[in-house]
Amino acid sequence: MYYPEPITKLIDSFTKLPGIGPKTAARLAFFVLEMKEDDVLDFAKSLVNAKRELTHCTVCGHITDQDPCSICSDQSRDNSVICVVQDPKDVIAMEKMKDFQGKYHVLHGTISPMEGIGPEDINVSTLIERLKDEKVEELILATNPNVEGEATAMYISRLVKPSGLRLTRIAHGLPVGGDLEYADEVTLSKALEGRRDL
Amino acid sequence: MYYPEPITKLIDSFTKLPGIGPKTAARLAFFVLEMKEDDVLDFAKSLVNAKRELTHCTVCGHITDQDPCSICSDQSRDNSVICVVQDPKDVIAMEKMKDFQGKYHVLHGTISPMEGIGPEDINVSTLIERLKDEKVEELILATNPNVEGEATAMYISRLVKPSGLRLTRIAHGLPVGGDLEYADEVTLSKALEGRRDL
């Protein structure tokens, strides 16, 4: 027994978080001991509240503390465009950009046969329901540009194509501020393939 | 408002921890949402318990959930040697080594005129009291081998020297597994200075 019991437990709790090993966990635990009691109580409360009060929006699947979420219930947004993303964090990233005024649909994952995740394990069926009910004109597939993301986009596009909806995929190419010299071959090839007239 | 309120609060709480920026905090917060509710409750409890149940041992200053701490109240340990360290974490490091069977004294800092920390701001006065009351034969100064640590060791040694107690300082030299080629000059000079007969 190196540490008193309460701190061992706290270190164990921190170790469960991603990217935090035993050394960092010990550092964080000792920091908590030096924090004001009120701040520690706030921290504990915010943990429990976040877990308890947040659910997934029954319409789009985004995390929310009200149902439907603030984006789905926002009447000023464009109902005719739905942007399909993998993850609630991707909605945040899109919202930070401030350019997109449509709605979202969060898949909570991608099709990944290697990990045994099939189409039925992600939030696709509610998307299909939405497309039937809502007046959607365009579906933007904004899954990540990797194998699983592409496969998922392909799967959804095949599923939706027959309905005659406009289907788009976000562009792949050089990131702004990037350098041609250091771009990998696949990105460069995608950038060339997706070139546009000036 | 990008995130629902409960998650914003949780991200803020994580951001207060050392070495955790907004991006990592967001990642951790989203991880918490995916955790089992019981695990989250345990985490919250361990935070509050660690803060509430742990105090500093009135004898040695180490963190503890009982007073005096388990090391101070351990009758099998050698009362004649006290190892003076800066921090509770240093006690843990010493205990992990398993070679030291004496007692400890935790200073909770070092003298640092640059940061306005004087001898009265660290846990020295209780050490002096202990030296009067307990039958101590040796005081090992194990503060860190940097400017503040050396200054603190020097200060304590001047204070205690007149009592005729054996005063020692942990050795400075090459770390085990280290490389002479990559050692800095000061370490190498200390290693040479502290050479021992074979």
Side-chain angles (χ1 to χ4, degrees):
Chain A
M1 206 278 300
Y2 301 131
Y3 295 93
E5 164 109 17
I7 199 154
T8 312
K9 277 194 180 167
L10 183 56
I11 291 173
D12 285 349
S13 291
F14 273 122
T15 316
K16 284 178 190 160
L17 298 176
I20 292 186
K23 289 243 168 184
T24 310
R27 195 162 55 92
L28 295 178
F30 276 96
F31 181 84
V32 168
L33 296 186
E34 304 296 322
M35 277 166 75
K36 284 185 207 143
E37 184 159 340
D38 282 351
D39 284 345
V40 177
L41 287 178
D42 275 351
F43 188 4
K45 262 186 222 159
S46 60
L47 274 170
V48 178
N49 287 350
K51 182 66 192 168
R52 285 201 176 149
E53 291 176 16
L54 290 177
T55 50
H56 293 152
C57 171
T58 47
V59 180
C60 71
H62 188 43
I63 50 152
T64 176
D65 50 352
Q66 62 199 58
D67 193 20
C69 73
S70 56
I71 296 173
C72 284
S73 54
D74 184 347
Q75 297 298 330
S76 68
R77 295 186 77 114
D78 185 357
N79 277 314
S80 64
V81 188
I82 292 182
C83 176
V84 179
V85 294
Q86 294 181 205
D87 208 272
K89 274 175 276 190
D90 299 337
V91 174
I92 309 298
M94 293 286 290
E95 283 297 283
K96 275 189 182 157
M97 176 189 66
K98 293 193 171 75
D99 272 353
F100 180 69
Q101 284 304 315
K103 303 276 171 108
Y104 295 96
H105 193 85
V106 183
L107 296 176
H108 292 287
T110 43
I111 297 167
S112 170
M114 294 285 283
E115 293 173 40
I117 304 171
E120 68 283 353
D121 298 317
I122 61 174
N123 192 21
V124 175
S125 55
T126 47
L127 174 65
I128 305 301
E129 290 303 313
R130 280 181 81 178
L131 295 181
K132 282 179 195 159
D133 296 345
E134 297 173 29
K135 281 187 188 166
V136 180
E137 287 162 21
E138 181 180 356
L139 200 63
I140 304 172
L141 300 171
T143 50
N144 286 337
N146 53 27
V147 178
E148 290 84 10
E150 293 295 349
T152 310
M154 194 63 70
Y155 172 80
I156 296 175
S157 78
R158 283 195 191 154
L159 210 63
V160 176
K161 200 95 193 174
S163 69
L165 204 69
R166 185 180 174 204
L167 269 168
T168 53
R169 178 92 177 100
I170 46 161
H172 298 342
L174 289 178
V176 177
D179 203 319
L180 212 88
E181 187 181 346
Y182 300 119
D184 64 291
E185 294 84 351
V186 187
T187 302
L188 209 51
S189 149
K190 289 278 184 188
L192 194 66
E193 191 187 311
R195 69 190 181 277
R196 298 200 300 182
D197 292 315
L198 287 176
Chain B
M1 206 275 302
Y2 301 131
Y3 297 94
E5 165 108 17
I7 200 153
T8 311
K9 276 194 181 164
L10 183 56
I11 292 173
D12 285 349
S13 291
F14 274 122
T15 315
K16 284 179 189 159
L17 298 176
I20 293 185
K23 288 244 169 185
T24 310
R27 196 161 53 94
L28 295 178
F30 276 96
F31 182 83
V32 167
L33 296 186
E34 303 298 322
M35 278 167 75
K36 285 186 208 143
E37 183 158 343
D38 282 352
D39 285 345
V40 177
L41 287 177
D42 275 352
F43 188 4
K45 264 185 220 158
S46 61
L47 273 170
V48 177
N49 287 350
K51 182 66 193 171
R52 286 203 175 145
E53 291 176 15
L54 291 177
T55 51
H56 294 151
C57 171
T58 48
V59 179
C60 71
H62 188 41
I63 49 152
T64 176
D65 52 351
Q66 60 199 58
D67 194 21
C69 73
S70 56
I71 296 173
C72 284
S73 53
D74 184 347
Q75 296 298 325
S76 69
R77 295 187 77 114
D78 185 357
N79 277 313
S80 64
V81 188
I82 291 180
C83 176
V84 179
V85 294
Q86 292 179 207
D87 209 271
K89 273 175 277 191
D90 300 336
V91 175
I92 309 297
M94 293 286 290
E95 284 297 285
K96 274 189 184 158
M97 175 187 67
K98 292 193 171 74
D99 273 353
F100 180 69
Q101 284 303 317
K103 302 278 173 109
Y104 294 95
H105 192 85
V106 183
L107 296 175
H108 292 286
T110 43
I111 297 168
S112 171
M114 293 285 282
E115 291 172 41
I117 303 172
E120 66 285 351
D121 297 316
I122 60 173
N123 191 20
V124 175
S125 55
T126 47
L127 174 65
I128 306 300
E129 291 302 313
R130 279 181 84 178
L131 296 180
K132 281 181 195 159
D133 298 343
E134 297 173 30
K135 280 186 187 165
V136 181
E137 286 162 22
E138 181 179 355
L139 200 65
I140 305 173
L141 300 172
T143 50
N144 285 338
N146 54 27
V147 178
E148 291 83 9
E150 293 294 349
T152 309
M154 196 61 72
Y155 172 81
I156 296 175
S157 77
R158 283 197 191 154
L159 210 64
V160 176
K161 201 94 192 177
S163 70
L165 203 69
R166 186 180 173 206
L167 268 169
T168 53
R169 179 91 177 100
I170 46 162
H172 296 344
L174 289 179
V176 178
D179 204 319
L180 212 89
E181 186 181 347
Y182 300 117
D184 63 291
E185 294 85 349
V186 188
T187 302
L188 210 51
S189 150
K190 290 277 184 188
L192 194 66
E193 192 186 310
R195 69 188 180 279
R196 298 199 301 182
D197 292 316
L198 288 175

